[in-house]
Amino acid sequence: MRILVLGGDGYCGWATALHLSQRGHDVGILDSLIRRDWDRQLKIASLTPICGIERRIARWHELTGHSIDLYVADMCNHEALETAMVRFAPDAVVHFGEQRSAPYSMIGRKEAVFTQVNNVVGTLNLLYVIHEKLPDCHLVKLGTMGEYGTPNIDIEEGYLTITHKGRTDTLLYPKQPGSYYHLSKVHDSHNIHFACRIWGLRATDLNQGVVYGVHTPETTMDRTLVNRLDYDGIFGTVLNRFCIQAAIGHPLTVYGRGGQCRGFLDIRDTVRCVELALLNPAKAGEFRVLNQFTEQFTVNDLAQKVRQAGTEMGLDVEIENVPNPRVEKEEHYYHAANTKLLELGLKPHCLSQSLLDSLLNVAIDYKDRVDENMIPPRVSWRSCAPVFQ
Ligand SMILES: NC(=O)c1ccc[n+]([C@@H]2O[C@H](COP(=O)([O-])OP(=O)(O)OC[C@H]3O[C@@H](n4cnc5c(N)ncnc54)[C@H](O)[C@@H]3O)[C@@H](O)[C@H]2O)c1
């Protein structure tokens, strides 16, 4: 298959591009490289030192003989996106190319507006390119489990069958997202659903849980290929952050009471889930939603697991409940369906001692690169963060 990975220089996109290339697909990467600018602006950096995209791709070619075409383009620039898409002529696009940090989107008005414009306009431009130039192309879009929020009923995969005043219909599942970023993903989902209905596009919305881990078989082939690993309070996600905090002797920062429950998955399953969606495409006119996570944990569960793994490695790991910068339920019902990817053949990597050990070891290897000032949460949901004004 010819597959264009949008946002292919990022955490999920880079690992996915290499996985698909290694499986024999013709892969292209389109990325504006804006994520690297945000790192510079916010004075944050990946724990692992990541090489420039051209060097990464050249090394991949040297090691494997596989070529990856690169397009440096902003999805919000319709002409640039269309030119790249028409030139590459993909059978499928995997769309990771968005601003994906909830805290970033809550810094203040400018960042909220930027996040929604970047994500919604980029996706809308993509829908038009597919409709006008490549109508058979399968869109695999990364959504998030955060679109659903934490309702007091079970979360289904995209749709809910409702009986109301004696009549029954199957409708998009109601969404209660928890940040302006998560809202941008809901807006995307609605736009894609609409495009499938009116133009007959084929799309899969992968509502992904929180990703953890850093290595995949391809990114460990050489140091030049190493993936990014964020630990800061803006782009770092909870389990990756906890492992890095444990490695440097920083207390694990549990926000509030720590009963917040979410779906999680290993990055090795991210790449496999995307591949399964590509190999089993949505039908023309179908807006298919798959919940892409393998296990549910509370923040307290994860803190306990990291403390236990760290203690067994001889680390002194403390847990600290810090005031919650977010507005969210800290104790709640959470039960989400995730059977469709299993039915397509996913064999999950469950969170194991060996994964925690390997993540802790990566954190220990690079601990001299940690800037402790980047660890505390700097963005409040209740007010604009003074540090950024
Ligand atoms: N990381 C997670 O835990 C997680 C969880 C759920 C969903 N997701 C979704 O997966 C996707 C990828 O996440 P990630 O962690 O790899 O993020 P990331 O920030 O590491 O990568 C995103 C990439 O997209 C690029 N990009 C952003 N806007 C762009 C634009 N307008 N045009 C072209 N390129 C653009 C960035 O430069 C970056 O390389 C996102 O859509 C995110 O919402 C991620």
Side-chain angles (χ1 to χ4, degrees), residues 6-14 30-36 38 73-76 95-101 114 118-119 122 141-145 181 185 206-212 228 230 235 237 265:
L6 312 174
D9 187 43
Y11 172 57
C12 300
W14 176 239
L30 183 145
D31 200 301
S32 62
L33 310 182
I34 193 167
R35 178 61 211 279
R36 292 174 185 254
W38 297 328
D74 182 346
M75 292 181 63
C76 292
H95 177 14
F96 293 104
E98 301 208 320
Q99 191 304 96
R100 69 105 172 122
S101 159
F114 173 82
N118 185 63
N119 296 358
K141 164 71 169 43
L142 269 289
T144 156
M145 288 299 293
Y181 150 70
K185 308 294 270 193
L206 295 173
N207 281 342
Q208 181 167 243
V210 184
V211 184
Y212 59 79
R228 64 179 310 133
D230 298 305
F235 281 96
T237 49
L265 77 165

Side-chain angles (χ1 to χ4, degrees), residues 91-221:
D91 300 307
V93 281
V94 186
H95 177 14
F96 293 104
E98 301 208 320
Q99 191 304 96
R100 69 105 172 122
S101 159
Y104 184 94
S105 75
M106 300 301 291
I107 292 173
R109 186 198 62 81
K110 190 161 72 67
E111 291 79 8
V113 170
F114 173 82
T115 298
Q116 294 214 352
V117 171
N118 185 63
N119 296 358
V120 176
V121 172
T123 301
L124 210 41
N125 282 342
L126 178 63
L127 292 172
Y128 269 90
V129 173
I130 295 175
H131 170 52
E132 291 173 350
K133 304 288 179 185
L134 298 153
D136 281 334
C137 180
H138 177 207
L139 167 60
V140 175
K141 164 71 169 43
L142 269 289
T144 156
M145 288 299 293
E147 292 181 39
Y148 297 112
T150 53
N152 200 30
I153 57 171
D154 284 14
I155 294 170
E156 306 302 334
E157 298 199 60
Y159 295 88
L160 185 65
T161 300
I162 300 173
T163 301
H164 178 64
K165 295 185 179 171
R167 299 181 66 81
T168 299
D169 203 351
T170 298
L171 304 168
L172 285 181
Y173 195 97
K175 308 283 178 74
Q176 299 180 76
S179 72
Y180 285 121
Y181 150 70
H182 290 104
L183 273 154
S184 75
K185 308 294 270 193
V186 174
H187 303 327
D188 282 344
S189 294
H190 286 148
N191 284 342
I192 300 167
H193 180 238
F194 184 68
C196 291
R197 281 193 288 137
I198 59 166
W199 295 327
L201 301 196
R202 56 181 85 234
T204 302
D205 204 1
L206 295 173
N207 281 342
Q208 181 167 243
V210 184
V211 184
Y212 59 79
V214 61
H215 291 326
T216 57
E218 292 78 24
T219 62
T220 41
M221 282 167 66

